[in-house]
Amino acid sequence: MAKKVLRAGGAKRKAEGKLRLSEFARALLREWNKLHLPLDARAVIAVSGGADSLALLLGVNELIGAKKLKLKIFVAHLDHGLRKETSRADARWVASLGKQLGYVVISRRVNVAAQASKTGDNLEQVARRARYKFLAEVAQNRRAEILLTAHTMDDQAETILLNLLRGTGMDGLAGIDAVRPMEKGSKLLLARPLLSWARRKDTESYCRLRAFEFRVDEMNANEKFARVRVRRQLLPLMESFNPKITEGLARTAELLREDSEALTGAATRLIELANGSGEKKSGRKGSLSLSLDLLSQAQPALRRRALRQWIRECRGDLRRVERIHILAVESLLFGNRGGRTIELPGGSKISRKSGLLQFVPGPRSAHLLRTGSVKPA
């Protein structure tokens, strides 16, 4: 009789072992709770087919199976049309994966190269805008509360270094946000629950643990792209000085993000106090004029942060707006001459008149104000 009890106990322990979460899933759940993401929601997961996005999908799937999360999952895949037949094969692979796991897959193909040739922007920027536009549309159509992307700590380190090489301020060195509203005032959360802890080697190992093969994008080895050169040349060199450079950059980004958030809050309050007209509003975005007096008395770092935020609110985004433009607008605050005007990229203008800075929308920003369009960061 005792022998039967022992066997029953052993069977129970074996069953419990089958339900035990993997270390990857436990780390994902810890980060999920740390970011205060909802446990019961409709969620869109961006899946390219690579190890990172596959690991995120499998990790969420494991947590759902263990009843740690109660999510309605939609898988979203965008084919950028950059790799001809191989990108089509990726789309088919993701569709098959979704069917295997029991999730709805929404796919779309866009011609990113054609869009880049029209706008003159680089391929990476256009691909990124197309991707987030698609993901936002899927989330809206499926009434999702969360949009999940699989950015890792490696992506964070690469982004910080790229921003540093191009020249950046605190926001650029703060890197990628782990979670934020998709747009200002939006209820849709854009979340990256792998960002602060998972390395690429972790996602690859987890996919192998789950016995899933992942797709390999040959463009990730093409060193004509700056990000690939940072990944394959710069970071390995930096690791020879500090083997934990990726983790160090991620910690630096976290510290700077906290400082940036504090400065942004102070700048927002400065804009509210400097609201010049109190009447003419740029739709839902804020005032089209600011009082010179308060701005001119503020500390330079706070003043410039406030001017950047105000221009973003009025214009719809900060595309092609550089430090030189912010300094030019700042120069309007000082001196006694009225009637001076600074022209921004895209045709918008800012002028000084009657003790106020006044924003005059150009054709592009006027369209953004009418449609409420905001480009995701």
Side-chain angles (χ1 to χ4, degrees):
M1 188 70 168
K3 192 173 182 180
K4 288 185 178 180
V5 172
L6 182 61
R7 284 180 177 175
K12 183 178 180 181
R13 285 193 298 272
K14 186 175 180 181
E16 288 174 346
K18 288 182 179 178
L19 296 175
R20 188 174 298 143
L21 288 174
S22 66
E23 179 55 39
F24 187 93
R26 288 199 298 271
L28 176 58
L29 182 60
R30 284 194 297 269
E31 186 68 10
W32 195 279
N33 292 325
K34 177 183 173 183
L35 297 177
H36 304 291
L37 298 177
L39 302 178
D40 184 351
R42 298 168 70 88
V44 172
I45 302 183
V47 178
S48 66
D52 296 344
S53 61
L54 176 58
L56 175 59
L57 178 61
L58 294 175
V60 169
N61 178 259
E62 184 179 347
L63 292 173
I64 292 172
K67 301 189 184 305
K68 301 296 184 180
L69 296 178
K70 187 179 178 181
L71 302 177
K72 174 69 173 177
I73 297 298
F74 301 94
V75 174
H77 175 83
L78 184 66
D79 177 356
H80 297 98
L82 294 173
R83 292 178 288 117
K84 299 182 180 179
E85 290 307 313
T86 56
S87 65
R88 293 184 187 276
D90 287 350
R92 292 191 294 268
W93 186 90
V94 172
S96 176
L97 172 70
K99 184 178 180 180
Q100 180 179 348
L101 296 175
Y103 298 133
V104 173
V105 177
I106 303 97
S107 295
R108 183 182 300 170
R109 183 180 174 89
V110 297
N111 191 335
V112 166
Q115 292 182 18
S117 65
K118 286 181 181 178
T119 63
D121 293 329
N122 71 52
L123 211 57
E124 292 169 286
Q125 290 175 332
V126 175
R128 182 177 173 283
R129 287 200 296 271
R131 183 165 59 252
Y132 279 106
K133 179 181 178 183
F134 164 69
L135 293 173
E137 289 175 0
V138 172
Q140 181 179 9
N141 293 339
R142 301 291 173 163
R143 295 178 289 109
E145 293 101 326
I146 322 170
L147 171 58
L148 300 172
T149 67
H151 291 83
T152 65
M153 190 183 289
D154 296 279
D155 294 307
Q156 182 73 292
E158 292 163 11
T159 298
I160 294 166
L161 290 176
L162 282 168
N163 289 341
L164 181 62
L165 291 169
R166 292 164 182 157
T168 189
M170 186 184 294
D171 287 349
L173 294 178
I176 307 168
D177 290 320
V179 62
R180 65 169 179 80
M182 186 67 181
E183 296 180 4
K184 187 176 180 181
S186 171
K187 293 182 179 180
L188 173 64
L189 290 179
L190 173 59
R192 289 126 172 172
L194 305 183
L195 187 70
S196 70
W197 62 274
R199 299 288 305 274
R200 226 164 257 131
K201 60 186 179 183
D202 299 321
T203 62
E204 292 178 357
S205 295
Y206 179 62
C207 290
R208 295 189 185 101
L209 176 68
R210 295 288 303 274
F212 278 84
E213 293 186 4
F214 49 85
R215 306 290 289 181
V216 177
D217 185 349
E218 62 266 27
M219 293 182 70
N220 287 333
N222 188 340
E223 295 191 8
K224 78 175 185 180
F225 296 108
R227 182 175 288 271
V228 177
R229 293 199 300 277
V230 166
R231 180 182 307 149
R232 293 166 66 94
Q233 297 180 28
L234 183 55
L235 272 168
L237 176 62
M238 296 178 76
E239 285 173 354
S240 70
F241 291 88
N242 177 7
K244 296 287 188 180
I245 185 64
T246 296
E247 290 83 354
L249 288 169
R251 286 194 302 272
T252 298
E254 186 175 355
L255 293 171
L256 288 173
R257 193 174 303 111
E258 292 173 357
D259 292 347
S260 180
E261 288 172 359
L263 190 56
T264 295
T268 299
R269 180 56 179 159
L270 178 58
I271 292 171
E272 291 171 353
L273 294 172
N275 182 339
S277 64
E279 297 176 359
K280 188 176 182 182
K281 301 285 183 179
S282 55
R284 62 180 177 84
K285 296 181 181 291
S287 174
L288 286 173
S289 61
L290 295 179
S291 169
L292 297 177
D293 291 341
L294 283 174
L295 288 171
S296 61
Q297 294 173 26
Q299 292 292 321
L302 179 59
R303 178 169 60 237
R304 291 165 192 165
R305 174 65 64 104
L307 289 173
R308 281 176 58 83
Q309 288 181 208
W310 177 61
I311 291 170
R312 181 192 288 115
E313 291 171 357
C314 292
R315 189 174 179 264
D317 60 35
L318 286 171
R319 283 179 61 193
R320 296 194 294 147
V321 175
E322 300 177 0
R323 176 178 168 81
I324 189 173
H325 301 113
I326 302 299
L327 294 178
V329 173
E330 183 184 38
S331 72
L332 295 177
L333 302 174
F334 304 101
N336 298 318
R337 287 195 300 153
R340 296 172 60 198
T341 299
I342 301 297
E343 185 167 343
L344 301 175
S348 300
K349 297 178 181 179
I350 295 177
S351 62
R352 169 179 171 152
K353 185 177 181 182
S354 303
L356 299 174
L357 282 186
Q358 297 185 338
F359 181 89
V360 181
R364 182 172 174 277
S365 56
H367 171 73
L368 288 172
L369 293 174
R370 286 194 304 271
T371 61
S373 301
V374 177
K375 304 296 181 185

